[in-house]
Amino acid sequence: MPKDVNYSNTGSPQTDGDTQWLAEQKFIEQYKAHHSFVRRVVRNLRIHYKRALWRFVIQSSRAVKRGLDIVLSLAAIVLLLPVYALTAIAIYVDAPGPVIFTQLRAGRFGKPFTMFKFRSMVVKAESEKAALLDQNESSAGVIFKMKRDPRITRVGRFIRKFSIDELPQLFNVLRGDMSLVGPRPPTLSEVAQYSLSDRKRLYVAPGITCIWQVSGRSEIDFAGQVKLDVAYIQSQSLWTDLRILLKTIPAVLLGKGAY
């Protein structure tokens, strides 16, 4: 018997085998298209899931860090109230004038904020700084350091050695300008001299203490400070912060590298 012949829309004859083959090819193409669509959907869902999980982890870490900052800074302020009072009296008696020194510093991403410190220098210290620039003992030239800065008062030398001058920054932490742990906030003039690499220090909120504060303080040059700050930023965690805070206590009590 002659083989069954069908005719396509173009008028060309097709056998039953050709029709079945075309049907199979069409099914395969539809399956591939559907399978490809499902794979794209699954891949996009995975990407969105990973992004959402990463955001959750980051935001949770920041929330925990912020909560720790609030609790510990508030507790420290209450416990240290007698120290605040005695320090304020000593500063005023030694060199009459404002007890608190305020200065614009660069916060996260370089955003300026007002930082608080106990005044450890004479009232006109900022205006007298220009005359001392040629005596800067910081080899990098970005920061200004002098072991025997003539502007520092007698009480100022004591409170600097034991970091008592930094205690008002607990209020900066409470306000959210700073964190307990993080790179030290630079002045705006220092940031103006930063290289692109140095600006990595500004990726997180500045802190009262960090790695280089417990590793030598002012004895570490500027390049070393940047290196340690970036190392902290890349490996920061709640455990790292707690460990640095614990190391800060003996570093402050010994006063090593502070001037």
Side-chain angles (χ1 to χ4, degrees):
M1 294 180 66
K3 193 174 184 180
D4 292 340
V5 177
N6 295 324
Y7 289 87
S8 66
N9 293 332
T10 60
S12 58
Q14 292 181 336
T15 64
D16 289 342
D18 292 335
T19 303
Q20 184 178 357
W21 182 84
L22 290 173
E24 289 175 351
Q25 289 298 114
K26 185 176 181 180
F27 174 79
I28 291 171
E29 289 175 2
Q30 290 176 342
Y31 174 80
K32 286 181 177 179
H34 176 72
H35 185 63
S36 177
F37 172 75
V38 171
R39 287 181 64 184
R40 288 198 302 271
V41 171
V42 171
R43 184 173 65 249
N44 289 335
L45 287 175
R46 285 178 178 173
I47 292 173
H48 288 300
Y49 170 75
K50 289 180 179 179
R51 287 177 178 173
L53 182 61
W54 178 250
R55 289 194 193 100
F56 174 76
V57 171
I58 295 297
Q59 291 173 357
S60 298
S61 298
R62 288 176 180 170
V64 171
K65 183 177 175 70
R66 180 61 186 146
L68 185 69
D69 284 343
I70 293 173
V71 171
L72 293 184
S73 62
L74 187 58
I77 289 171
V78 173
L79 291 173
L80 294 170
L81 281 177
V83 177
Y84 280 100
L86 290 173
T87 304
I89 294 171
I91 291 171
Y92 188 81
V93 170
D94 182 46
V99 171
I100 298 295
F101 171 73
T102 61
Q103 188 179 47
L104 279 180
R105 295 290 182 106
R108 190 182 183 201
F109 300 131
K111 182 181 178 181
F113 72 96
T114 301
M115 190 188 76
F116 308 125
K117 293 183 72 172
F118 276 125
R119 181 171 60 85
S120 61
M121 294 185 173
V122 296
V123 176
K124 297 181 179 180
E126 288 296 293
S127 61
E128 296 176 4
K129 181 179 178 179
L132 300 171
L133 290 178
D134 60 340
Q135 300 180 52
N136 187 7
E137 296 174 11
S138 174
S139 57
V142 176
I143 55 178
F144 180 83
K145 284 290 183 180
M146 283 182 67
K147 286 186 177 181
R148 299 189 178 277
D149 194 323
R151 301 172 299 163
I152 301 177
T153 64
R154 289 175 300 175
V155 171
R157 292 194 183 282
F158 178 81
I159 64 176
R160 274 173 170 249
K161 183 175 180 61
F162 297 102
S163 297
I164 298 173
D165 62 322
E166 310 287 358
L167 290 181
Q169 288 162 40
L170 289 169
F171 289 94
N172 284 119
V173 175
L174 203 57
R175 287 174 43 169
D177 300 324
M178 296 174 60
S179 177
L180 289 173
V181 182
R184 289 295 296 156
T187 64
L188 302 186
S189 60
E190 289 171 356
V191 173
Q193 301 178 63
Y194 276 10
S195 65
L196 289 176
S197 179
D198 296 337
R199 289 178 179 271
K200 292 178 181 178
R201 305 177 78 199
L202 305 176
Y203 287 176
V204 297
I208 294 179
T209 184
C210 203
I211 297 177
W212 67 268
Q213 278 79 24
V214 298
S215 305
R217 302 168 82 173
S218 296
E219 294 179 353
I220 300 176
D221 62 13
F222 177 71
Q225 294 174 12
V226 173
K227 184 177 179 180
L228 290 174
D229 284 341
V230 172
Y232 164 76
I233 292 171
Q234 294 175 343
S235 62
Q236 63 177 319
S237 66
L238 181 60
W239 170 244
T240 300
D241 283 4
L242 292 174
R243 188 171 57 186
I244 291 174
L245 287 172
L246 290 175
K247 287 184 176 181
T248 299
I249 298 173
V252 168
L253 293 177
L254 293 173
K256 183 180 179 182
Y259 56 85

